[in-house]
Amino acid sequence: MVQMSKVGIIRPRVNHSAKLRLFCFPYAGGGSSIFHRWPEQLPSAVEVCSIQLPGRESRIRTPSFRMMGPLIEAVTRSISPYLDKPFALFGHSLGALVAFELARKLETFHGPRPAAFFASAADAPNTRRSVPILHGLPDDELMKKLLALYGTPHEVIQHAEVVQLLLPAIRADLHVFETYTYEPGLPIRCPIWAFGGTQDEQVRSWALEGWRKETTASFSLTMFTGDHFFLLSARSQLLKVLRANLDSMLQSIPQIDMHRPEHIG
């Protein structure tokens, strides 16, 4: 059953002496390899931990999650053993919503709080508008819609066989996104950094500003040249900003309150 599927935690460079872990959540259909080279440009005291969801890359044959609730439950179980150090969350597009709901769940169960949350290419959930229902479209129509709305990474559209392999995961992720319902609640208590693309027609700066309402701590917004996938096209610029923020966080690690319980629900 999909509910029993495990979420993988991939560490491109295992770093036992790391002072902070950065958990990275990919966009719809994306896998952990997106973040494989990030450690090269981030502080050496940061260990990158990529979230590998079922249905892609090394887990291509495992059924994908189709609803946010079971997905968050699985992520919480898988990530719990790695929360013994200060940590931050980064999510791009759908990944930002998943990371946000994880942060809320940890706070609900009085778990360890993230030191920061980086929301990339994602409308704040409190600004959420009606979204087009795409997950049930025929293959050709689905790809045309995705290209028109968001664009698609070049390495995907250049290879038809890759598209066919990714479509089940993309459909499942779209189902998660399209059926997600935001429930207003208490803001999280860590800083939120929002990132956006200047040419992203679907995620506008005003919707990114909405993340300000989801934290009781500080908020900042940075825009990068590029469309919805500036994560790839402006990677160096993004990582430069991310590195600066992480460097600042590392200086205050002794003051970060982990408040780790024995069990997280």
Side-chain angles (χ1 to χ4, degrees), residues 20 36 48 58 84 103 111 150-151 155 166 184 238 255:
L20 180 143
H36 185 71
V48 173
S58 61
D84 57 335
Y150 302 104
E155 59 268 30
L166 289 178
L238 170 64
Q255 285 74 48

Side-chain angles (χ1 to χ4, degrees), residues 68-189:
M68 183 67 83
L71 172 54
I72 295 302
E73 291 294 331
V75 171
T76 303
R77 288 195 300 271
S78 296
I79 208 172
S80 182
Y82 298 90
L83 302 184
D84 57 335
K85 294 184 178 184
F87 65 96
L89 305 175
F90 174 95
H92 188 84
S93 196
L94 173 64
L97 285 181
V98 177
F100 172 65
E101 288 299 333
L102 171 65
R104 295 177 102 189
K105 182 175 178 64
L106 292 174
E107 292 217 2
T108 298
F109 285 92
H110 306 289
R113 296 193 296 271
F117 168 43
F118 301 96
S120 179
D123 290 350
N126 57 66
T127 67
R128 189 172 172 86
R129 303 151 290 171
S130 60
V131 297
I133 305 302
L134 306 178
H135 67 265
L137 294 176
D139 291 356
D140 290 348
E141 190 173 349
L142 174 59
M143 290 310 299
K144 288 179 182 177
K145 287 286 188 180
L146 289 176
L147 283 168
L149 289 172
Y150 302 104
T152 301
H154 294 300
E155 59 268 30
V156 172
I157 61 177
Q158 288 176 346
H159 303 284
E161 65 276 14
V162 173
V163 172
Q164 290 304 312
L165 284 173
L166 289 178
L167 273 176
I170 292 174
R171 289 185 185 281
D173 287 355
L174 286 174
H175 193 277
V176 171
F177 178 72
E178 292 164 8
T179 58
Y180 168 75
T181 300
Y182 170 70
E183 296 183 4
L186 294 174
I188 60 178
R189 289 176 285 174

Side-chain angles (χ1 to χ4, degrees), residues 34-61:
I34 299 165
F35 309 105
H36 185 71
R37 298 189 64 181
W38 277 31
E40 299 172 8
Q41 293 181 255
L42 294 180
S44 59
V46 173
E47 182 179 48
V48 173
C49 299
S50 308
I51 305 302
Q52 184 72 296
L53 299 180
R56 62 216 76 201
E57 294 182 350
S58 61
R59 311 200 61 224
I60 192 75
R61 298 186 183 280

Side-chain angles (χ1 to χ4, degrees), residues 6-22:
K6 292 183 178 179
V7 172
I9 309 296
I10 308 298
R11 296 186 285 173
R13 292 185 183 178
V14 176
N15 184 357
H16 297 296
S17 62
K19 294 182 179 179
L20 180 143
R21 290 189 172 116
L22 177 65

